[in-house]
Amino acid sequence: MDSLRYPIGPFVPIPAPPPEERQTFIRQLSEIVPTLRNTLQDIAPGDLHTPYRKDGWTVQQIVHHLADNDINAYLRFKRALTEDSPTASSYREDLWAELSDYKDAPIEMSLALLEALHNRFLALLQNLHPLDFRRTLQTEALGKITLDTALQRFVWHHRHHLGQITSFIDARQFAHSQDREKLPVKSDVVLLRRTAGNDLDYVLQTEQDPENQPFILSWPREKHLEAIDSSDHLHLIIESPDGSRVGYVILAGLENRNHCTELLRIAVSDKGRGYGKEAIRLIQEYVFDSLKAHRLWLDVKEHNQRARKLYEKAGFATEGKLRDCIRNGDSYESLVIMGLLEPNYRLFNRICQGAE
């Protein structure tokens, strides 16, 4: 059996579950949507439209399928409670999955629908008599089944598709972790590599440079060491083609569940040669292509006009201002928040390439 397609194995019903076993299935039904929501928090937005396996549905199609399936299952269940062993209607789930709403509708629509539907189903299940679960319906896939089996199938069906999504996310996260190791990254102008312990004297010296000091909140050596060792940070050295250190970069938020990466700091010691501009371009490429981030953002001191213009030319948009948030002697300084979303990054690149 294909473990990707059937991650929890085939459906095997318990023919006549005792009351406590039935209550376990009802409790599991109540946990379905919270578990699904929690799982989907770990998926990159672009991965929603990626098939979980070759020739399989996308994660978005799976979520919309769960909503459609549960509507049908709920109606079949109620028919069995009020009719004598009715024949459960089937539907072409493969063709439903190709309809436009499966591709275009946000998954939140189906998650909200599932939430409401399951609450309604729970209100029904919790007030049924044990004998009600012996009522039957005719199905195309399983033949004649009791409502006990229908309830078990309902829960299994969700665990089945949740297993597909979880396996897909685990595989993508492993692939993304491998992408993080795609360092150094380089162009004809600069190379970005991981910062080593013997680079810290240079980093501290660059921070204390009179040209950089007004625009950087200096860190002690220990904080830089923490960033180098942190799985949520990426501390990088910028090198010129001859191997000289010309700056450094710190990224933060590599483990951010919202897929927002912060350009925490970029400082260049050898100015006027385009090293900063090219480093930002490589950072954007690495963040969106390798880290699969949705948003890259930064803050910059309001009076640092040179940096702000550089970021604007690189596609960053001004998103707001933190007024007087930094005390500097007897006065205060404001920070401007700038950000770039992955779709805008792609569009900006196409426009720039078209202008060349």
Side-chain angles (χ1 to χ4, degrees):
M1 180 174 287
D2 186 347
S3 61
L4 285 177
R5 190 173 183 181
Y6 294 97
I8 64 170
F11 173 61
V12 180
I14 301 172
E20 59 271 16
E21 191 83 31
R22 184 183 301 121
Q23 286 302 315
T24 296
F25 288 116
I26 293 174
R27 176 181 55 78
Q28 289 175 346
L29 192 155
S30 72
E31 297 168 352
I32 286 172
V33 177
T35 301
L36 182 60
R37 282 190 179 278
N38 187 59
T39 300
L40 290 169
Q41 287 182 350
D42 293 328
I43 194 167
D47 287 346
L48 282 172
H49 304 283
T50 303
Y52 80 94
R53 63 176 177 86
K54 184 180 179 181
D55 300 323
W57 285 343
T58 67
V59 174
Q60 177 153 315
Q61 285 175 306
I62 291 174
V63 175
H64 290 318
H65 162 71
L66 288 172
D68 283 346
N69 179 82
D70 287 10
I71 292 171
N72 281 277
Y74 174 70
L75 293 176
R76 289 194 293 264
F77 201 96
K78 295 197 79 170
R79 285 188 61 203
L81 285 172
T82 56
E83 302 174 30
D84 185 17
S85 198
T87 299
S89 59
S90 61
Y91 67 99
R92 289 292 304 274
E93 60 180 42
D94 56 333
L95 297 182
W96 285 35
E98 296 303 317
L99 296 174
S100 61
D101 57 335
Y102 273 63
K103 298 177 181 179
D104 301 332
I107 60 171
E108 179 56 35
M109 287 184 178
S110 285
L111 291 172
L113 193 157
L114 285 166
E115 209 159 38
L117 183 64
H118 287 196
N119 285 335
R120 179 76 179 273
F121 199 6
L122 286 167
L124 174 68
L125 291 170
Q126 290 164 350
N127 288 285
L128 291 180
H129 190 278
L131 291 177
D132 290 329
F133 289 92
R134 297 184 185 177
R135 297 183 67 88
T136 62
L137 69 157
Q138 298 284 343
T139 70
E140 183 177 321
L142 301 174
K144 188 175 183 178
I145 63 172
T146 66
L147 289 187
D148 261 324
T149 298
L151 172 61
Q152 294 171 51
R153 173 76 176 187
F154 188 98
V155 173
W156 174 89
H157 183 257
H158 271 276
R159 292 181 58 232
H160 163 70
H161 284 299
L162 184 63
Q164 293 172 343
I165 295 172
T166 302
S167 297
F168 171 74
I169 291 174
D170 289 345
R172 296 294 282 184
Q173 287 181 339
F174 176 77
H176 293 172
S177 71
Q178 296 297 102
D179 285 337
R180 289 186 188 181
E181 298 306 316
K182 290 180 180 177
L183 289 169
V185 292
K186 64 180 180 178
S187 68
D188 293 337
V189 181
V190 296
L191 176 145
L192 302 180
R193 62 165 175 84
R194 291 183 181 274
T195 303
N198 58 9
D199 293 313
L200 284 183
D201 286 341
Y202 166 77
V203 169
L204 295 172
Q205 180 182 346
T206 302
E207 282 187 343
Q208 297 302 320
D209 187 310
E211 290 191 56
N212 292 328
Q213 201 170 25
F215 310 112
I216 294 177
L217 297 176
S218 298
W219 281 4
R221 180 182 295 267
E222 293 72 21
K223 193 165 183 178
H224 281 288
L225 282 170
E226 288 177 8
I228 290 172
D229 293 336
S230 170
S231 60
D232 191 52
H233 290 70
L234 192 57
H235 206 300
L236 302 170
I237 291 293
I238 308 172
E239 287 187 354
S240 64
D242 65 5
S244 301
R245 292 175 293 204
V246 295
Y248 75 94
V249 175
I250 305 175
L251 297 175
L254 273 67
E255 297 178 342
N256 185 286
R257 298 188 73 173
N258 299 309
H259 307 285
C260 295
T261 302
E262 179 184 2
L263 176 52
L264 191 62
R265 184 167 308 175
I266 178 169
V268 176
S269 57
D270 192 352
K271 303 182 188 301
R273 299 178 182 270
Y275 295 141
K277 178 182 178 181
E278 182 64 8
I280 290 172
R281 188 189 70 79
L282 286 180
I283 289 165
Q284 291 174 329
E285 183 179 290
Y286 180 76
V287 165
F288 291 120
D289 291 344
S290 294
L291 299 185
K292 310 298 182 185
H294 176 64
R295 178 172 179 260
L296 175 63
W297 70 281
L298 57 89
D299 58 51
V300 56
K301 288 188 176 182
E302 185 178 24
H303 61 84
N304 191 353
Q305 294 296 328
R306 180 178 179 178
R308 289 174 63 182
K309 289 179 180 178
L310 178 64
Y311 296 137
E312 286 173 358
K313 289 181 179 178
F316 287 88
T318 298
E319 298 178 341
K321 183 193 298 185
L322 298 176
R323 296 185 301 165
D324 289 358
C325 60
I326 300 174
R327 184 175 180 180
N328 186 1
D330 294 330
S331 61
Y332 292 87
E333 297 176 326
S334 299
L335 289 175
V336 175
I337 308 299
M338 304 183 75
L340 178 62
L341 302 181
E342 187 267 343
N344 300 119
Y345 164 73
R346 306 288 178 202
L347 177 62
F348 180 79
N349 267 1
R350 288 197 295 271
I351 293 173
C352 291
Q353 291 168 3
E356 291 178 356

